[in-house]
């Protein structure tokens, strides 16, 4: 048995198709087939079985896959660590992020990470909403993501990294714009524009409205830019939104602090698959983010 056989086996177990696996491994199909046959012969068990045009792991193959993957991950981590001792971690880090942290917090975080660990590892950032980001993270499109907390995700780790304030958003011509102490009860009878209740932040706002007896008569907007434009163009409406850069283009809108709502209403987390293999660069990024202290008043890095 050799390492090539284990790498071939892992790839075939993941792709479940000899031709496709051989293409991704840059070898011929006969070479792959022969290697797997030799591995099965040495182990004395069948690793795969045919299922139509594809193949699947046998019960023995699935058991062997867990141990082979664990061994290869440990080896790859050791190689990455050895390379780090010879210099800075290399490779890339793919990060999904909600857009509301991409103008200030995330640039400051990445700047600090590069100052601490150098620029050898490339950081790629992709924008999205929490639920699609979580789905892509689970499907291995990203290694890390900045999202809201999502319950019932035992396979994911959520590390709180910052909080965001919930505010009322009103047109400057609205009488609420000039109220000194705005309460949630002041919104009764108004059309409230806020987030869809089936999103993490939307569920938090819906619970808040229910607690204060506000009838959930509202229009939904997935982000602060859409929400701001709806409040700006519809007289008499009030927005309940996170106080982010998405509201800044609307010069006729005013954000009002709600006296019953804590400033740290909504939490943003660094999210990743708990048991997945992580390169040294990714592990460094996680640890740096855990300890990173960000001053929200300082603005984006120069």
């Amino acid at each position: 048995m050799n390492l090539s056989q284990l790498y071939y086996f892992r790839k075939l177990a993941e792709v479940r198709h000899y031709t496709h696996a051989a293409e991704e491994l840059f070898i011929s199909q006969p070479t792959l087939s022969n290697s797997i046959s030799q591995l099965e012969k040495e182990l004395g068990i069948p690793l795969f079985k045919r299922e139509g045009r594809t193949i699947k792991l046998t019960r023995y193959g699935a058991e062997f896959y867990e141990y082979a993957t664990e061994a290869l991950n440990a080896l790859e981590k050791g190689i990455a660590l050895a390379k780090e001792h010879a210099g800075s971690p290399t490779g890339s880090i793919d990060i999904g992020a909600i857009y509301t942290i991409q103008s200030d917090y995330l640039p400051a975080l990445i700047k600090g990470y590069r100052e601490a660990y150098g620029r050898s590892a490339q950081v790629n950032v992709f924008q999205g909403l929490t639920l699609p980001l979580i789905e892509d993270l689970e499907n291995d499109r990203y290694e890390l993501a900045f999202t809201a907390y999502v319950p019932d995700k035992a396979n994911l780790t959520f590390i709180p990294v910052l909080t965001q304030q919930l505010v009322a958003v009103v047109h400057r011509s609205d009488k609420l714009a000039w109220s000194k102490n705005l309460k949630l009860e002041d919104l009764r009878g108004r059309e409230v524009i806020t987030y869809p209740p089936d999103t993490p932040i939307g569920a938090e706002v819906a619970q808040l409205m229910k607690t204060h007896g506000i009838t959930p008569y509202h229009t939904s907007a997935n982000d602060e830019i859409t929400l701001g434009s709806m409040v700006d163009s519809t007289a008499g409406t009030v927005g309940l939104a996170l106080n982010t850069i998405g509201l800044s283009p609307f010069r006729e809108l005013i954000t009002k602090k709600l006296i019953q709502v804590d400033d740290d209403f909504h939490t943003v987390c660094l999210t990743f698959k708990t048991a997945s293999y992580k390169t040294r660069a990714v592990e460094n990024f996680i640890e740096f983010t855990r300890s990173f202290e960000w001053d929200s008043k300082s603005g984006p890095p120069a």
Side-chain angles (χ1 to χ4, degrees):
M1 187 184 306
N2 56 52
L3 279 175
S4 293
Q5 287 177 308
L6 294 180
Y7 279 115
Y8 295 172
F9 166 74
R10 183 175 69 175
K11 176 60 68 175
L12 185 59
E14 293 168 351
V15 177
R16 298 197 302 169
H17 195 286
Y18 272 95
T19 301
H20 297 162
E23 289 174 352
E24 293 190 25
L25 290 165
F26 300 101
I27 61 174
S28 67
Q29 183 174 330
T31 298
L32 177 59
S33 299
N34 182 63
S35 179
I36 297 300
S37 296
Q38 291 297 321
L39 183 59
E40 290 179 322
K41 182 178 179 181
E42 182 172 348
L43 294 173
I45 54 173
L47 298 173
F48 297 95
K49 61 182 179 181
R50 290 282 180 183
E51 192 175 73
R53 294 186 177 182
T54 62
I55 59 171
K56 66 180 296 185
L57 288 167
T58 64
R59 177 167 64 89
Y60 311 107
E63 187 177 71
F64 182 68
Y65 174 78
E66 292 185 13
Y67 289 99
T69 301
E70 183 179 348
L72 290 174
N73 285 347
L75 177 63
E76 289 167 353
K77 184 176 290 188
I79 292 171
L81 182 60
K83 288 183 176 179
E84 180 181 354
H85 290 319
S88 299
T90 58
S92 62
I93 308 172
D94 290 339
I95 301 173
I98 53 175
Y99 86 92
T100 55
I101 67 167
Q102 292 186 32
S103 65
D104 41 32
Y105 171 81
L106 193 55
L109 175 69
I110 293 174
K111 180 175 183 288
Y113 171 77
R114 286 173 171 161
E115 289 174 348
Y117 292 99
R119 295 178 172 270
S120 298
Q122 180 176 338
V123 180
N124 304 312
V125 178
F126 305 88
Q127 179 176 303
L129 301 173
T130 285
L131 294 182
L133 287 173
I134 291 291
E135 182 178 352
D136 285 342
L137 182 66
E138 292 180 314
N139 291 329
D140 297 318
R141 181 180 177 189
Y142 313 123
E143 293 153 301
L144 305 170
F146 287 92
T147 70
Y149 173 75
V150 178
D152 302 321
K153 291 291 183 181
N155 61 322
L156 301 180
T157 295
F158 294 87
I159 301 174
V161 293
L162 76 150
T163 58
Q164 295 175 320
Q165 181 187 35
L166 185 76
V167 295
V169 184
V170 296
H171 196 277
R172 65 172 60 253
S173 62
D174 194 303
K175 65 179 183 180
L176 291 180
W178 310 109
S179 299
K180 279 190 175 182
N181 298 310
L182 190 62
K183 300 178 182 179
L184 284 160
E185 289 78 6
D186 296 330
L187 308 187
R188 287 199 180 106
R190 296 291 194 103
E191 180 180 356
V192 178
I193 301 175
T194 190
Y195 307 97
D198 58 351
T199 62
I201 177 61
E204 293 173 14
V205 174
Q207 182 58 50
L208 179 70
M209 294 172 68
K210 181 179 179 182
T211 299
H212 289 271
I214 308 300
T215 304
Y217 167 58
H218 65 265
T219 303
S220 296
N222 277 307
D223 57 80
E224 291 75 37
I225 295 176
T226 304
L227 188 150
S229 65
M230 293 172 72
V231 174
D232 194 37
S233 61
T234 311
T237 58
V238 179
L240 282 179
L242 296 175
N243 194 11
T244 74
I245 194 173
L247 298 173
S248 60
F250 303 100
R251 301 301 179 91
E252 296 301 309
L253 298 185
I254 293 177
T255 60
K256 301 289 293 183
K257 176 179 171 59
L258 296 157
I259 62 174
Q260 301 130 306
V261 182
D262 293 335
D263 288 346
D264 57 351
F265 177 79
H266 180 65
T267 300
V268 178
C269 300
L270 172 64
T271 310
F272 52 85
K273 292 174 74 172
T274 305
S276 67
Y277 167 73
K278 299 171 184 65
T279 65
R280 191 64 178 175
V282 171
E283 288 189 339
N284 287 344
F285 194 93
I286 292 172
E287 290 309 309
F288 183 81
T289 303
R290 284 181 187 270
S291 61
F292 181 66
E293 295 183 3
W294 176 61
D295 180 5
S296 60
K297 297 179 181 179
S298 63

